[in-house]
Amino acid sequence: MKFYFRYGIISLVKNLQRVDHMSKFRTQHMTIDWHEIIDCESTAAAADAPLKEKTYLVGRVGLLMLSVGTAAWRVRASMNKIARALNITCNADIGLLSIEYTCVENGETCTNALSLKTTGVNTHKLSYLEFFNDNFAERTGKYSIEQFNMMLDKIENLPANYKALRLGFASALACCAFTFLLGGGPVEMFGAFLGAGVGNFARKKLLENHITLFANVAAGVASACCTYVIFIKLAELLFDVSAVHQAGYICSMLFVIPGFPLITGGFDLSKLDLRSGIERVTYAILIIGIATLTGSLTASLFRFAPSAFEAVVIPAHLKLLFRLVTSFCGVYGFSLMFNSPRKMAATAGLIGMIANTLRLELVDFTPVPAAAAAFIGTFAAGMLATLIKPAVGYPRITVTVPSIVIMVPGMYMYKGIFFIAQKNLAEGGMWLCEAALIIAALPLGLIFARIVTDKNFRKSS
């Protein structure tokens, strides 16, 4: 009896382990095989394909556009462009991760619902998708639905331009530059360089293993803050560096601030795409909340506080030069984190260099409030992107949004949460209100630049 009981327990444990092992590989979101739902052997041109196959092609283009982080109005515009070229009508409801849409042709309808596993930003894929959309109409009489799906396969399977180590260096460069623009000195800049590099490397490795959002954000921020703390403690011990430089630990975690969804969410709200806009802003708030709470907890453990930076005295003309250089470096680094090719990142860097320096100079030398200066800076970025688009050929969103991410007041948001956690509601509320005004101004600047320069965006229909 004992033998059978013991054997039964061992068998049960092994079976449970086998089930658990199998469940680790069972994804929540099932993958669509786009080639199985169409007639792969058909050589008919896409314009002559059945409505069902046209509908799936429209949906796949929309889903790919959504997957690279672009706004809902741009996803809808792409789906409409494909639908018009196929002589069908498309109506879509778009969120952060899903699309429900209906296509109509000669009284016949086809409705689908599609969803993504997760969201992200990939400006490189976005530029290829824009090229695909722009050249689709002239190809509908030459290529079949299957051939178009094969083209989309190549775009979807494009490898990332940069591995985790390079992305670590990109975030290190961006946060180091960000630190100077926020008023930090060489010690804070070097600490932020180390912290952000380690933090984003760790986060990228977790993302490669499909670790969930809350865990990868918390781990990335904690790694960055701990690295900065270790650096400062060693500097205090070995080189007698002042403890005042502890304030720079905030800058080491700014690589997680979700500038892209904040700005595209603003675009969607301006076009009354309320579902997508609210979902994007909510997603951004989730990341900000996890990041700031993790940073606040880490700071409390090591008794760090977000005090003001030690004043760095620099002549005005040199400060202007340094702002130009660090603005370029910061935007360039953030652009690389969005998977932009180097030339695209450099283009965004040049736009951001001018726009962000203009914003900072307005704050320093004029009575213009910080939020109004942010609006002017982003408006300038949008206008510059429009002017250079014919020469560079990149979609405007791939250079405008990265160029103004550096203006997102991550430090203000962190200070607000920190002081609220310390029960200093007045101080925390002041910082959060200031951050909210600037965040609202950032997409507004780009929106009004688009209204001025793009008649399709300017009209509501």
Side-chain angles (χ1 to χ4, degrees), residues 4 50 72 78 139 182 233 248 257 294 318 332 363 365 416:
Y4 289 113
S78 297
R139 300 177 178 178
L182 291 170
K233 291 299 184 183
I257 297 301
T294 302
L318 282 180
Y332 183 80
V363 171
F365 298 107

Side-chain angles (χ1 to χ4, degrees), residues 118-454:
T118 186
T119 186
V121 179
N122 192 321
T123 54
H124 191 203
K125 283 186 180 181
L126 176 56
S127 63
Y128 274 101
L129 286 168
E130 288 282 356
F131 180 80
F132 176 89
N133 296 335
D134 291 341
N135 292 275
F136 181 81
E138 63 189 43
R139 300 177 178 178
T140 53
K142 302 177 183 178
Y143 298 101
S144 67
I145 295 291
E146 169 66 8
Q147 288 172 317
F148 280 122
N149 271 305
M150 291 173 67
M151 296 177 196
L152 292 174
D153 286 342
K154 292 183 179 180
I155 297 174
E156 184 175 7
N157 296 321
L158 281 173
N161 291 326
Y162 314 105
K163 300 297 184 182
L165 185 60
R166 290 189 179 183
L167 289 176
F169 277 112
S171 64
L173 176 65
C175 290
C176 176
F178 215 152
T179 304
F180 175 82
L181 296 170
L182 291 170
V187 175
E188 290 90 353
M189 291 172 68
F190 189 68
F193 182 91
L194 295 176
V198 171
N200 198 39
F201 174 81
R203 189 183 179 209
K204 178 61 177 177
K205 283 296 184 183
L206 292 174
L207 285 170
E208 289 175 356
N209 288 281
H210 309 289
I211 302 301
T212 190
L213 177 70
F214 280 26
N216 72 62
V217 170
V221 170
S223 300
C225 291
C226 289
T227 301
Y228 188 93
V229 168
I230 292 170
F231 163 72
I232 289 296
K233 291 299 184 183
L234 288 175
E236 291 177 9
L237 180 65
L238 299 177
F239 304 107
D240 197 27
V241 171
S242 171
V244 73
H245 299 297
Q246 294 178 358
Y249 76 94
I250 302 175
C251 301
S252 67
M253 55 177 273
L254 295 179
F255 64 91
V256 300
I257 297 301
F260 221 98
L262 276 175
I263 294 162
T264 54
F267 267 99
D268 285 338
L269 292 174
S270 75
K271 298 293 287 183
L272 295 183
D273 278 311
L274 299 184
R275 175 190 169 193
S276 178
I278 291 170
E279 288 181 12
R280 287 176 187 278
V281 172
T282 302
Y283 169 72
I285 291 172
L286 284 174
I287 295 177
I288 292 167
I290 294 300
T292 52
L293 288 172
T294 302
S296 179
L297 176 61
T298 308
S300 299
L301 290 174
F302 294 104
R303 298 183 180 180
F304 274 36
S307 55
F309 288 117
E310 186 178 26
V312 180
V313 180
I314 304 174
H317 64 284
L318 282 180
K319 192 172 186 179
L320 174 62
L321 177 62
F322 290 155
R323 278 178 170 175
L324 289 168
V325 173
T326 52
S327 293
F328 175 85
C329 292
V331 173
Y332 183 80
F334 280 122
S335 296
L336 296 182
M337 291 166 61
F338 298 145
N339 200 47
S340 298
R342 288 184 176 85
K343 288 184 179 179
M344 184 187 292
T347 303
L350 291 172
I351 294 172
M353 176 180 73
I354 297 170
N356 189 53
T357 303
L358 171 63
R359 174 184 71 94
L360 294 172
E361 295 293 304
L362 286 173
V363 171
D364 282 357
F365 298 107
T366 71
V368 175
F375 174 87
I376 294 170
T378 53
F379 181 82
M383 297 301 290
L384 286 170
T386 301
L387 288 173
I388 68 172
K389 186 180 186 297
V392 297
Y394 300 130
R396 276 174 287 198
I397 194 173
T398 63
V399 293
T400 52
V401 176
S403 72
I404 69 170
V405 165
I406 201 168
M407 302 182 192
V408 176
M411 178 174 281
Y412 289 10
M413 290 185 281
Y414 173 79
K415 285 186 175 182
I417 297 298
F418 178 87
F419 285 118
I420 288 174
Q422 299 297 317
K423 299 181 180 179
N424 188 345
L425 300 184
E427 186 78 6
M430 184 273 292
W431 283 110
L432 287 180
C433 286
E434 185 73 17
L437 289 172
I438 295 174
I439 289 171
L442 293 177
L444 282 176
L446 288 184
I447 288 166
F448 276 90
R450 197 69 187 249
I451 288 172
V452 170
T453 59
D454 187 348

Side-chain angles (χ1 to χ4, degrees), residues 29 59 62-67 70-72 75-76 79 92-101 112-119 268 273 275-276 279-280:
H29 298 268
L63 199 64
L64 283 174
M65 289 292 291
L66 193 64
S67 72
T70 193
V75 175
R76 182 177 292 104
M79 295 175 72
D93 182 27
I94 302 165
L96 175 67
L97 293 174
S98 61
I99 302 174
E100 291 80 42
Y101 69 108
N112 282 315
L114 304 171
S115 65
L116 297 171
K117 299 176 182 177
T118 186
T119 186
D268 285 338
D273 278 311
R275 175 190 169 193
S276 178
E279 288 181 12
R280 287 176 187 278

